[in-house]
Amino acid sequence: EEPQSTYDTQIYIGNLSFDTAESDLRAAFQQHGSVTKVSMPLNRETMKSRGFAFVTMSNAEETAAAIAAVNESEITGRTVYASESLPKEKVAEGKKKYQAKKQRNEGSKIYIGNLNFDTTEEDLSAAFAAYGDVMDCFLPTDYEGNPRGFGFVSMDEDAAAKAIEELNGTELDGRTLTVNKSLPKGQKATPKREWN
């Protein structure tokens, strides 16, 4: 096999806190694979982070997994943004492989919108458990820990389809839910028709 090119595996991380250390980044990324290098430019005067860094993973699939998990997550108290380094074609290949693998491992991901801020992950899981085994349930919060009014549930494909059909437009904790299949970022629900 040919050695991996750097751009297959290098991730750009922006909006870092100036207090972030390389060890914080390594800890955040090594949950998703093997970190081979962390490069965080420092301000020469303060010797603190300049607000961005680069992390290199051991292969393109781990890179895609890490970007998906770390982007818009919190590191040392700030929401950070992670994206692949250019060129993107090669990383896109790894991302496709990762998405296919993730689909097999995690089933279908369902988006639930218009949630009551008092609804807990347990409440949401219980609502979906009536249609099958809930593999994962996640309610994103803002940087102060407040709920953002939407969540995600993962189930196998058949159960997910049934849950979406039955729960979309129903009420939970006094709010009418929007329930649909969660699509990868940038993908629209109705693909454009290609003309030959």
Side-chain angles (χ1 to χ4, degrees), residues 170-187:
T170 62
E171 277 198 13
L172 180 65
D173 295 333
R175 304 273 295 192
T176 302
L177 302 180
T178 301
V179 183
N180 51 45
K181 191 168 181 183
S182 175
L183 295 170
K185 277 184 187 171
Q187 189 175 322

Side-chain angles (χ1 to χ4, degrees), residues 14-190:
N15 201 42
L16 286 173
S17 160
F18 297 139
D19 295 324
T20 303
E22 283 190 10
S23 57
D24 297 321
L25 286 172
R26 193 174 285 276
F29 279 88
Q30 66 189 9
Q31 297 174 48
H32 311 290
S34 176
V35 176
T36 58
K37 186 181 175 188
V38 177
S39 171
M40 189 173 73
L42 298 177
N43 181 313
R44 286 182 187 173
E45 291 173 18
T46 64
M47 294 312 289
K48 287 190 170 189
S49 162
R50 288 167 58 191
F52 66 94
F54 296 93
V55 171
T56 306
M57 306 297 285
S58 64
N59 63 51
E61 281 193 46
E62 287 181 359
T63 300
I67 288 170
V70 176
N71 185 44
E72 296 186 14
S73 71
E74 209 172 275
I75 297 179
T76 54
R78 282 193 72 158
T79 301
V80 301
Y81 301 97
S83 60
E84 60 265 24
S85 293
L86 294 172
K88 293 186 177 180
E89 302 81 49
K90 290 284 183 184
V91 182
E93 263 174 55
K95 202 180 267 183
K96 272 186 200 158
K97 283 184 199 163
Y98 165 69
Q99 291 290 1
K101 187 174 169 188
K102 188 177 177 190
Q103 188 72 21
R104 284 196 300 276
N105 292 348
E106 297 182 15
S108 287
K109 193 172 182 184
I110 305 164
Y111 166 85
I112 306 99
N114 200 37
L115 285 172
N116 188 317
F117 290 149
D118 293 330
T119 300
T120 64
E121 287 183 3
E122 289 76 20
D123 297 333
L124 199 55
S125 277
F128 279 82
Y131 304 98
D133 188 28
V134 174
M135 301 175 189
D136 188 40
C137 181
F138 174 57
L139 293 179
T141 54
D142 64 19
Y143 63 92
E144 291 179 339
N146 299 313
R148 295 170 65 187
F150 63 92
F152 299 96
V153 166
S154 295
M155 306 177 79
D156 75 52
E157 208 160 325
D158 292 341
K162 181 77 174 160
I164 289 168
E165 189 184 330
E166 297 288 336
L167 290 174
N168 186 38
T170 62
E171 277 198 13
L172 180 65
D173 295 333
R175 304 273 295 192
T176 302
L177 302 180
T178 301
V179 183
N180 51 45
K181 191 168 181 183
S182 175
L183 295 170
K185 277 184 187 171
Q187 189 175 322
K188 294 189 178 158
T190 44

